[in-house]
Amino acid sequence: MSLPEIPGWLRGSEMGEQIFAHDWAESGLGPIESWPPHLKLAVNVILLLPSATILLWGPEFIQIYNDRFRDTMGVKHPNALGQPVRISWPEGWDFTAPIIEGVMMRRESHLFDEQRLVLNRKG
């Protein structure tokens, strides 16, 4: 029995391979084969970006990220893949929750210059 081949929209990065191999059943996103085209496109875009990028998807803000953001995750990776952002980054949730709510509910945009945000990346 051969393993399924990684789809084209996930090729070209280590995180694409990890996303393909990840068990998405408990994330709320369901099997990767059933993801809607717009989610697949969004994942493909972030995987191709040269900067550290994270995608938060669905009502639980499930994390999917690229190779560079994986490096930002530190020891939180690989457990953070497919996990709600509030669980992976509890130390930043008080700051990010109102921003996410503003973006999702009121279509706000935000720009922060020199905003200090302490994240626990090393355990």
Side-chain angles (χ1 to χ4, degrees):
M1 183 166 99
S2 64
L3 296 174
E5 186 175 327
I6 188 169
W9 58 275
L10 288 173
R11 289 190 189 144
S13 74
E14 291 176 19
M15 280 309 300
E17 294 172 15
Q18 289 184 19
I19 290 166
F20 182 66
H22 186 77
D23 180 4
W24 293 95
E26 294 193 24
S27 73
L29 298 183
I32 202 166
E33 303 82 32
S34 70
W35 287 6
H38 52 284
L39 174 54
K40 292 176 182 179
L41 176 63
V43 171
N44 179 250
V45 168
I46 70 158
L47 290 176
L48 297 174
L49 291 172
S51 58
T53 308
I54 186 170
L55 172 68
L56 305 178
W57 195 267
E60 291 295 316
F61 307 115
I62 302 300
Q63 301 177 123
I64 303 172
Y65 44 88
N66 66 8
D67 291 352
R68 293 256 169 95
F69 200 87
R70 174 200 53 214
D71 300 337
T72 300
M73 298 294 290
V75 298
K76 293 177 187 259
H77 175 76
N79 292 336
L81 183 63
Q83 195 175 61
V85 69
R86 66 180 160 65
I87 293 173
S88 290
W89 299 103
E91 66 275 20
W93 189 242
D94 287 344
F95 175 75
T96 57
I99 296 166
I100 292 170
E101 180 183 337
V103 169
M104 299 303 292
M105 304 301 285
R106 297 180 296 279
R107 306 276 190 225
E108 296 173 353
S109 62
H110 299 269
L111 177 63
F112 301 95
D113 287 327
E114 300 182 32
Q115 172 63 47
R116 183 182 168 127
L117 182 60
V118 177
L119 299 174
N120 181 2
R121 300 177 39 225
K122 305 288 185 199

